[in-house]
Amino acid sequence: MLFKYLALASLVILYILMFIGGYLESSGQGLECPQWPLCPSGFLPSAAYLTEWTHRLIAAMTGVMIIATAVGSWKVAGSHKKIRATGTLAGIFAMSQIALGAIVINTQLKATIVAIHNGIGILLFAMTLLTAIYAFKLPYGQTIKTSA
Ligand code: HEM
């Protein structure tokens, strides 16, 4: 698996997630699904909760991809301090964002929490973008070392 494409895919899916989050907020649908982790329709999507359900599903996928990129940033051939730092920080911010998402729901969209959710989202995007840029600048063949 070429590491740079994993880092790039993480950036693209994160942008889509943040776009949906912005739509969720501006369309006033933030509390469309008033519980966490699942909507009243359970795992399956339903028209009534579609936007929020999609935000959460893509958040889960984004979390997995950003953690995989964080691990890869330590294991890829030619790994350096900067890519490890941005990759790891992105992993920490992604996990914080998912926890914050639950708090946004539990506090019924408390303005300060939503603002923090947005703020961490921007930091997460910055770290994911830097990791992707560093990944495309790595000299070697992008292979992730499997043995130490
Ligand atoms: C990596 C994970 C996540 C990212 C990057 C993310 C990002 C965002 C962004 C950028 C917004 C728009 C905020 C604004 O316009 O002020 C947003 C809104 C929102 N997010 Fe997330 N989110 C993530 C995960 C989650 C999760 C797991 C949940 C729920 C369990 C969640 C619930 C919400 C809600 C309810 C809103 C709308 C807030 C409102 O209407 O005021 N988010 N998200």
Side-chain angles (χ1 to χ4, degrees):
M1 169 83 175
L2 284 184
F3 175 71
K4 65 182 175 186
Y5 295 119
L6 172 65
L8 182 62
S10 301
L11 186 69
V12 172
I13 197 172
L14 175 59
Y15 183 78
I16 294 168
L17 174 62
M18 293 178 74
F19 191 90
I20 296 170
Y23 173 72
L24 201 55
E25 201 266 337
S26 49
S27 63
Q29 296 181 59
L31 270 184
E32 180 191 68
C33 169
Q35 60 198 61
W36 190 84
L38 297 176
C39 294
S41 59
F43 277 106
L44 298 175
S46 84
Y49 315 110
L50 197 58
T51 319
E52 175 72 21
W53 184 88
T54 310
H55 188 66
R56 294 185 196 185
L57 175 74
I58 298 185
M61 292 160 63
T62 306
V64 170
M65 286 175 73
I66 288 179
I67 295 293
T69 307
V71 173
S73 70
W74 287 81
K75 290 188 162 284
V76 68
S79 168
H80 50 73
K81 266 203 201 128
K82 285 187 193 164
I83 200 168
R84 291 179 193 160
T86 57
T88 308
L89 281 171
I92 294 167
F93 288 144
M95 292 305 104
S96 323
Q97 260 310 69
I98 290 175
L100 262 172
I103 301 171
V104 164
I105 297 294
N106 290 339
T107 60
Q108 311 266 307
L109 306 186
K110 195 170 180 337
T112 38
I113 308 290
V114 175
I116 296 170
H117 189 55
N118 196 31
I120 304 271
I122 294 166
L123 287 175
L124 171 56
F125 189 82
M127 290 305 118
T128 308
L129 175 61
L130 282 174
T131 306
I133 292 170
Y134 292 145
F136 274 81
K137 287 188 174 167
L138 284 173
Y140 307 106
Q142 302 287 332
T143 48
I144 295 182
K145 288 179 281 178
T146 46
S147 57

